[in-house]
């Protein structure tokens, strides 16, 4: 069995050039906290805004 | 023989290789053309059947033809599976697992099952395994309190169940990437979102709340033409048929006087704590608009998806990933192919074929949906706050076939699902409120 979550979440804002270039250059917005194939347990974070 | 071989004169001359290659090419071309012609004939025959069904004079006996069986493409394993009566197999599997296990065989039996499928018995709520009379109840076990602490970050979305992250990402152009680049459309997974504005001059279908008085019924053309009614009512269905829950699967013609309110209230009234917490959470963000209305600033948000695969040994109850409101439910009585990662890689659009229950609603950032997808061994999907839902049962299949025939008689496309709303659960929130981490239901064997 599988569970599919489809949800709306804020996109990140592209950082301006002079800001520190981390997190893929995106400020705020949805951030994934998992990898493909990773085992996960109920209650653990999939991602966050 | 030696003499003969020695005396025979060897003559070398070129074999017309080009002729051979030409022959093979021609043979292949002929085979492809034959196959294409057969496929076209089959397609024409189906179209004829469907159009005959739409005119209501579907061939013999005046009954429109049944819904076309799902015949997925894919490797031979998939072809073999698509010929099997998977739902019947699943029901028999469920019956088998409800047989009571002899008392002294329970502990060794469940320990063997746990060893094979990697179940962590120390987390199971009951220390004495004898309390589980059969595998079905052991499969639907609960866990000890505290073995699954919720992530501390309040902005984090929780994993709804134990399992493995099969796929995740952003949804571009309404397409969800399944695995290995295979995609399927969001509409096929969730069902088409009713048009919020009348694209072609036809107003969105009239939506009827699920309650006692206004028992759902097929929409009359005059109602369809009445745009004002669309604003002040809730969602029920896309192709105009509205359902009240108790008769969800008996089709629209027998919906009058359905005791929806009582059974709905009994099974859907959320705990006031959930409601208060969810309201507070929704107030933080943009969760106040209904799920189908587009976000104010489209550029601000995007649609994301994640697929969690539950293996046979995993804990099979699922929980709410966040505080959200479930406004409606769509039940697709599809097939029950296995959803193993292998099949997810090889069967295009697997999730749009299988039986599934789509819960649609909203959370603080906007639209939110939660779709448990059944499989052959776990065909039954249970939703705690919806006691009317029946999955993987003959009733649902019959009702789905009848709804398909009715849609064909009216010459409309069949949406593929039966729908219900939870407006009665909470008038303030307009749906059933779920707290972060609250148990929502689970997958049961068979």
């Amino acid at each position: 069995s599988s569970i599919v979550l489809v949800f709306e979440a804020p996109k990140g804002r592209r950082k301006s050039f002079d800001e520190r270039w981390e997190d893929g250059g995106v400020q705020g917005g949805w951030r994934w906290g998992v990898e493909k194939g990773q085992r996960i347990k109920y209650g653990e974070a999939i991602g966050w805004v | 023989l030696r003499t003969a071989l020695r005396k025979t004169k060897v003559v070398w001359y070129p074999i017309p290789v080009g002729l051979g290659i030409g022959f093979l090419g021609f043979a292949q071309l002929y085979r492809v053309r034959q196959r294409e012609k057969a496929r076209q004939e089959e397609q024409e025959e189906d179209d004829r059947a469907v159009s005959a069904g739409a005119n209501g004079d579907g061939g013999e006996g005046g009954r429109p033809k049944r819904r076309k069986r799902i015949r997925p493409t894919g490797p031979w394993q998939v072809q073999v599976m698509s010929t099997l009566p998977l739902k019947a197999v699943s029901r028999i599997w469920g019956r088998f697992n409800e047989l009571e296990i002899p008392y002294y065989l329970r502990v060794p039996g469940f320990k063997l099952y746990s060893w094979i499928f990697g179940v962590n018995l120390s987390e199971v709520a009951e220390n004495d395994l004898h309390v589980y009379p059969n595998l079905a109840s052991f499969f639907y076990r609960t866990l000890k309190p505290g073995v699954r602490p919720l992530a501390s970050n309040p902005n984090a979305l929780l994993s709804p169940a134990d399992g493995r992250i099969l796929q995740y990402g952003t949804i571009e152009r309404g397409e969800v990437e399944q695995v290995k680049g295979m995609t399927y459309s969001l509409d096929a997974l969730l069902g088409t979102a009713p048009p919020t504005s009348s694209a072609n001059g036809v107003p969105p279908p009239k939506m009827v709340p699920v309650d006692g008085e206004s028992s759902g019924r097929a929409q009359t053309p005059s109602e369809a033409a009445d745009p004002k009614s669309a604003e002040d009512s809730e969602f029920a269905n896309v192709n105009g048929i509205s359902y009240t829950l108790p008769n969800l699967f008996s089709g629209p013609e027998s919906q009058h006087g359905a005791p929806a309110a009582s059974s709905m209230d009994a099974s859907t009234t959320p705990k006031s704590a959930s409601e208060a917490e969810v309201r507070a959470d929704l107030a933080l963000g943009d969760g106040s608009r209904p799920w189908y209305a587009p976000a104010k600033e489209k550029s601000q948000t995007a649609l994301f998806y994640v697929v969690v695969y539950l293996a046979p040994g995993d804990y099979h109850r699922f929980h709410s990933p966040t505080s959200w409101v479930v406004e409606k439910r769509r039940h697709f009585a599809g097939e029950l192919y296995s959803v193993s990662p292998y099949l997810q890689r090889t069967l295009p659009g697997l999730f749009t074929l299988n039986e599934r229950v789509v819960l649609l609603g909203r959370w603080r950032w906007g639209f939110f949906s939660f779709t448990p997808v059944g499989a052959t061994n776990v065909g039954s999907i249970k939703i705690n706050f919806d006691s009317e839902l029946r999955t993987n049962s003959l009733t649902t299949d019959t009702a789905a076939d009848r709804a398909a025939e009715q849609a064909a008689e009216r010459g409309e496309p069949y949406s593929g699902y039966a729908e219900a709303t939870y407006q009665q659960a909470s008038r303030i929130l307009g749906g059933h409120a779920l707290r972060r981490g609250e148990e929502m239901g689970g997958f049961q064997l068979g």
Side-chain angles (χ1 to χ4, degrees):
Chain A
S1 40
S2 295
I3 295 174
V4 184
L5 300 182
V6 176
F7 54 93
E8 192 174 1
K11 278 187 216 169
R13 173 182 64 79
R14 282 255 156 257
K15 284 183 172 179
S16 57
F17 187 75
D18 55 0
E19 284 175 313
R20 270 186 310 148
W21 192 258
E22 60 191 13
D23 292 340
V26 173
Q27 167 78 37
W30 175 257
R31 191 79 74 251
W32 289 107
V34 290
E35 289 304 325
K36 212 180 282 188
Q38 171 188 336
R39 285 225 33 103
I40 193 163
K41 289 193 184 297
Y42 141 56
E44 291 175 358
I46 289 181
W48 52 86
V49 176
Chain B
L1 177 63
R2 193 178 310 115
T3 317
L5 276 179
R6 198 175 305 123
K7 287 201 172 108
T8 309
K9 194 167 173 314
V10 178
V11 175
W12 296 92
Y13 54 83
I15 298 172
V17 180
L19 193 62
I21 293 173
F23 172 72
L24 287 178
F26 174 72
Q28 178 60 13
L29 204 64
Y30 176 74
R31 256 203 306 271
V32 166
R33 195 171 298 149
Q34 283 299 87
R35 193 169 54 219
E36 202 49 37
K37 205 160 74 175
R39 200 179 60 77
Q40 261 156 21
E41 275 162 15
E42 189 186 309
Q43 187 65 35
E44 278 156 18
E45 188 206 306
D46 285 339
D47 293 347
R48 258 198 312 275
V50 169
S51 55
N55 306 329
D57 59 356
E60 63 283 348
R63 283 174 57 82
K65 280 192 171 271
R66 285 170 58 88
R67 270 181 309 150
K68 206 160 141 304
R69 262 183 61 78
I70 295 170
R71 299 198 61 76
T73 57
W76 64 270
Q77 298 90 329
V78 171
Q79 300 297 340
V80 166
M81 278 184 82
S82 66
T83 54
L84 296 177
L86 293 170
K87 301 199 87 167
V89 166
S90 178
R91 285 178 206 131
I92 294 168
W93 171 242
R95 288 275 171 279
F96 168 71
N97 285 299
E98 280 162 3
L99 297 176
E100 182 140 345
I101 299 175
Y103 188 82
Y104 293 105
L105 289 182
R106 289 179 192 171
V107 175
F110 293 142
K111 287 199 171 171
L112 175 64
Y113 177 89
S114 305
W115 177 72
I116 295 172
F117 292 109
V119 178
N120 182 349
L121 288 174
S122 64
E123 295 176 338
V124 176
E126 303 289 348
N127 290 318
D128 174 14
L129 296 179
H130 289 103
V131 301
Y132 297 109
N134 51 36
L135 182 58
S137 60
F138 178 73
F139 187 84
Y140 202 57
R141 61 191 177 278
T142 53
L143 297 179
K144 280 192 174 84
V147 293
R148 292 284 184 282
L150 302 186
S152 53
N153 176 355
N155 288 334
L157 193 67
L158 306 176
S159 169
D162 287 7
R164 185 144 36 113
I165 300 289
L166 265 196
Q167 190 66 6
Y168 67 94
T170 311
I171 293 179
E172 311 286 351
R173 298 177 309 285
E175 287 203 333
V176 183
E177 183 190 342
Q178 182 173 307
V179 184
K180 295 267 177 255
M182 279 185 200
T183 63
Y184 52 87
S185 84
L186 195 58
D187 282 354
L189 178 75
L190 305 181
T192 46
T196 45
S197 61
S198 53
N200 47 7
V202 176
K206 178 170 170 28
M207 314 303 163
V208 175
V210 176
D211 55 24
E213 318 68 72
S214 63
S215 60
R217 55 191 159 67
Q219 181 183 25
T220 55
S222 57
E223 279 171 329
D226 170 11
K228 69 169 177 42
S229 65
E231 277 79 52
D232 62 5
S233 60
E234 288 80 6
F235 275 84
N237 201 323
V238 178
N239 54 7
I241 301 182
S242 53
Y243 289 92
T244 52
L245 269 178
N247 310 84
L248 186 62
F249 304 125
S250 62
E253 70 281 351
S254 64
Q255 295 210 346
H256 296 293
S262 56
S263 53
M264 274 299 287
D265 290 351
S267 63
T268 62
T269 310
K271 305 178 196 63
S272 55
S274 295
E275 198 167 314
E277 186 178 314
V278 170
R279 280 178 64 193
D281 212 276
L282 287 183
L284 294 172
D286 183 21
S288 52
R289 63 187 161 80
W291 66 273
Y292 51 85
K296 293 187 195 72
E297 294 302 320
K298 208 56 204 156
S299 60
Q300 276 175 357
T301 62
L303 273 181
F304 300 90
Y305 75 96
V306 59
V307 178
V308 180
Y309 166 70
L310 290 78
D314 281 327
Y315 164 64
H316 263 73
R317 290 174 187 244
F318 43 74
H319 296 251
S320 175
T322 183
S323 295
W324 66 299
V325 179
V326 190
E327 293 174 339
K328 60 173 30 191
R329 172 251 286 161
R330 289 176 173 176
H331 173 224
F332 292 77
E335 267 304 343
L336 282 173
Y337 292 99
S338 156
V339 288
S340 66
Y342 164 72
L343 257 181
Q344 290 200 32
R345 277 195 301 277
T346 50
L347 184 53
L350 173 63
F351 285 138
T352 59
L353 293 175
N354 266 24
E355 178 149 23
R356 60 194 180 279
V357 176
V358 177
L359 299 174
L360 296 167
R362 63 188 195 281
W363 68 323
R364 67 180 285 193
W365 304 107
F367 168 71
F368 195 89
S369 79
F370 183 108
T371 306
V373 181
T376 314
N377 66 332
V378 276
S380 295
I381 297 169
K382 189 167 177 302
I383 303 289
N384 291 349
F385 51 89
D386 186 337
S387 57
E388 313 298 340
L389 177 67
R390 294 285 175 279
T391 56
N392 192 15
S393 79
L394 278 174
T395 329
T396 51
D397 290 0
T398 319
D401 280 344
R402 189 177 314 152
E405 284 167 7
Q406 280 161 7
E409 279 158 9
R410 286 197 315 278
E412 288 172 5
Y414 174 54
S415 55
Y417 55 83
E419 189 171 85
T421 68
Y422 300 118
Q423 312 297 339
Q424 301 310 310
S426 156
R427 286 196 178 280
I428 304 164
L429 287 172
H432 183 87
L434 286 168
R435 258 187 304 188
R436 192 168 177 265
E438 182 178 340
E439 185 189 315
M440 293 172 65
F443 294 97
Q444 295 180 325
L445 285 177

